[in-house]
Amino acid sequence: MRIANLNGRSAFVFGEAGKERAADIAAVSDGRFGPDFAQIYEHWDSLCEWAATVLPETLQAQSFILNRDQLGAPSPTPRQVFAVGLNYRAHAEESGFAAPEQLPPVFTKYVSSFTGPDSTVTLPEGGNVDWEAELVVIIGRELRHADPADVWASVAGLTAGQDISERVSQLRGPVPQFGLGKSFAGFSPQGPWLVTPDEFTDPDDLELGCTIDGEEVQKGRTRDLIFPVPLLVATLSQTVTLYPGDVIFTGTPAGVGAGREPQRFLRAGESLDTWIEGIGALRQTFVTGQ
Ligand code: ZN
């Protein structure tokens, strides 16, 4: 099952790539579910049970052509947002760190930086704006002291994300300023939709990457995560309670601009295309301010 945020309303997505159709969940369910996302995730198990009973003809009859311009982040109002650094060995190395043996660094990206999959992002003046293609997990059930073996059943779905990062403000000061350096307007694009874990042959082994104006800069596989999704979510839940709709950026593979020799950052006019196997693609175009 795929669920999109279309102008703030939850919608099923179906059909082949590039010809997707959508059906409004509140309309199809006669108001039982949605349109609000907080309500969708709060009643995730009931939604999945009901969705399995909806006939393809019913969905088709109420469907319309999906307009990508209307797509927003698949969980637009999470109670908590987590992001993880140095969760791929090769990225830890290019960043000048040993691969973490304990839980990698955890920080947040503020919700005001969330957008849908296609957007124009303003480069902050004097900043070095970098790219980080990431698998994003959306939680479907409240979790506390979870066992890794139980995690996939409690994940609502996966989506593609970019953890866009301004390195000057992230790294200046007595200690790094991760949350703010990664939360400028438009710095957390996600989408194009949520895909439930059962849609993947192996949700723990997905290819992901990104290109700048067509040049490949990152390409990796989530099987190389030091803390794969089950262990990462279970470990977070030893400290915090995770709530339905919570968003977790799982870390980026090697190939970021700050790890290059010489370093390279995004420039006005460049386009960043990010993709994850079985999910879809994002496109960000960068402009200067004023
Ligand atoms: Zn990141």
Side-chain angles (χ1 to χ4, degrees):
M1 181 168 69
R2 289 181 282 171
I3 291 183
N5 171 356
L6 283 177
N7 277 341
R9 295 178 68 92
S10 52
F12 293 120
V13 177
F14 56 97
E16 57 187 282
K19 293 182 185 169
E20 288 90 357
R21 298 185 68 80
D24 187 87
I25 291 179
V28 177
S29 70
D30 281 328
R32 184 173 162 205
F33 297 103
D36 180 58
F37 278 89
Q39 196 254 12
I40 287 282
Y41 291 119
E42 203 57 54
H43 301 285
W44 184 252
D45 285 336
S46 315
L47 173 82
C48 291
E49 274 171 38
W50 163 76
T53 69
V54 178
L55 297 171
E57 306 87 271
T58 310
L59 213 54
Q60 187 69 37
Q62 302 212 36
S63 71
F64 48 88
I65 294 169
L66 184 144
N67 176 0
R68 276 189 74 104
D69 294 343
Q70 298 180 340
L71 287 167
S75 182
T77 54
R79 273 173 280 192
Q80 303 180 99
V81 182
F82 302 90
V84 181
L86 311 178
N87 202 11
Y88 290 82
R89 226 164 282 280
H91 173 61
E93 275 171 28
E94 74 179 353
S95 305
F97 296 99
E101 286 172 23
Q102 304 299 317
L103 181 65
V106 177
F107 49 93
T108 196
K109 285 172 78 70
Y110 296 100
V111 175
S112 61
S113 65
F114 277 30
T115 69
D118 303 328
S119 63
T120 299
V121 179
T122 300
L123 296 164
E125 204 176 325
N128 290 336
V129 176
D130 205 345
W131 54 89
E132 295 192 0
E134 302 199 10
L135 178 72
V136 172
V137 173
I138 298 172
I139 297 296
R141 282 184 201 153
E142 188 169 309
L143 282 173
R144 178 91 178 133
H145 300 307
D147 187 292
D150 299 330
V151 164
W152 276 121
S154 301
V155 166
L158 302 174
T159 196
Q162 254 295 341
D163 174 16
I164 301 175
S165 305
E166 197 289 284
R167 303 298 189 195
V168 176
S169 56
Q170 179 189 336
L171 300 172
R172 90 178 143 219
V175 292
Q177 190 67 271
F178 276 59
L180 288 177
K182 291 165 172 274
S183 295
F184 286 89
F187 271 32
S188 307
Q190 292 155 73
W193 31 69
L194 167 143
V195 182
T196 52
D198 60 292
E199 296 277 336
F200 302 94
T201 310
D202 180 359
D204 283 307
D205 184 18
L206 305 176
E207 190 173 69
L208 76 168
C210 62
T211 62
I212 298 171
D213 288 347
E215 179 196 340
E216 185 179 284
V217 287
Q218 285 190 290
K219 187 174 178 179
R221 298 199 71 92
T222 60
R223 68 173 179 226
D224 294 325
L225 282 164
I226 298 169
F227 273 63
V229 172
L231 181 60
L232 175 63
V233 172
T235 306
L236 288 172
S237 82
Q238 303 308 311
T239 302
V240 294
T241 300
L242 295 170
Y243 298 110
D246 279 0
V247 168
I248 304 170
F249 281 74
T250 58
T252 198
V256 302
R260 286 165 186 269
E261 189 61 57
Q263 291 188 327
R264 173 179 171 183
F265 299 106
L266 289 157
R267 292 182 287 259
E270 287 182 327
S271 288
L272 176 65
D273 289 289
T274 306
W275 51 271
I276 301 185
E277 173 187 4
I279 299 176
L282 319 177
R283 167 167 274 202
Q284 275 53 62
T285 303
F286 294 85
V287 297
T288 43
Q290 288 104 43

